[in-house]
Amino acid sequence: DSEYEEEEFYIVASLPPGAISQAKAAANTNDKDADGEQGIAHCALIDVDSDSPLLELEGSIYRGVKDELLGSTMLFDIEVNEAETENMDAKLLGITSQVISFHPVKFSKR
């Protein structure tokens, strides 16, 4: 038995326009797997329990601001049947009432 207790939680994140497409492009340029497939963007969430967490997304740093939502957001895992586009399976993953809005961090010399 482990003395640590695992907890799974979901975070709704708001990023600036183009942040994800830039990270995907950087991952595709920098990382190819053994089969030559496109890479997956590297992402690290730092100090998520603080008032201003940081997100590192493929080398770019973003500072977050937590906001409480009016109501709740339900998060689903959706599988679409390719043969029948009208049929999809949705499994509820979690419910949250918080969102973290991330903004780019600018570094400057002192």
Side-chain angles (χ1 to χ4, degrees), residues 6-7 28 35 38 46 61 64-65 67 79 85 96-97 102:
E6 250 184 64
E7 182 180 4
N28 291 339
D35 299 326
Q38 295 179 341
I46 304 160
I61 306 293
V65 177
D67 282 323
E79 292 184 27
T85 56
T96 185
S97 61
F102 287 98

Side-chain angles (χ1 to χ4, degrees), residues 2-9:
S2 174
E3 62 186 73
Y4 298 102
E5 191 173 308
E6 250 184 64
E7 182 180 4
E8 186 175 274
F9 59 94

Side-chain angles (χ1 to χ4, degrees), residues 9-72:
F9 59 94
Y10 297 91
I11 297 171
V12 176
S14 173
L15 292 165
I20 293 179
S21 58
Q22 287 176 339
K24 284 182 180 179
N28 291 339
T29 303
N30 300 333
D31 300 321
K32 300 277 185 187
D33 66 13
D35 299 326
E37 294 292 321
Q38 295 179 341
I40 297 173
H42 168 77
C43 175
L45 190 55
I46 304 160
D47 211 11
V48 70
D49 293 329
S50 74
D51 289 336
S52 56
L54 296 174
L55 174 69
E56 189 269 321
L57 183 60
E58 202 60 43
S60 297
I61 306 293
Y62 300 89
R63 179 175 303 282
V65 177
K66 291 182 179 178
D67 282 323
E68 196 70 27
L69 298 171
L70 185 60
S72 298

Side-chain angles (χ1 to χ4, degrees), residues 75-82 84-93:
L75 307 167
F76 292 93
D77 182 16
I78 298 175
E79 292 184 27
V80 178
N81 184 341
E82 297 293 330
E84 302 177 34
T85 56
E86 295 175 7
N87 292 339
M88 67 176 74
D89 292 327
K91 180 177 120 182
L92 180 65
L93 295 176

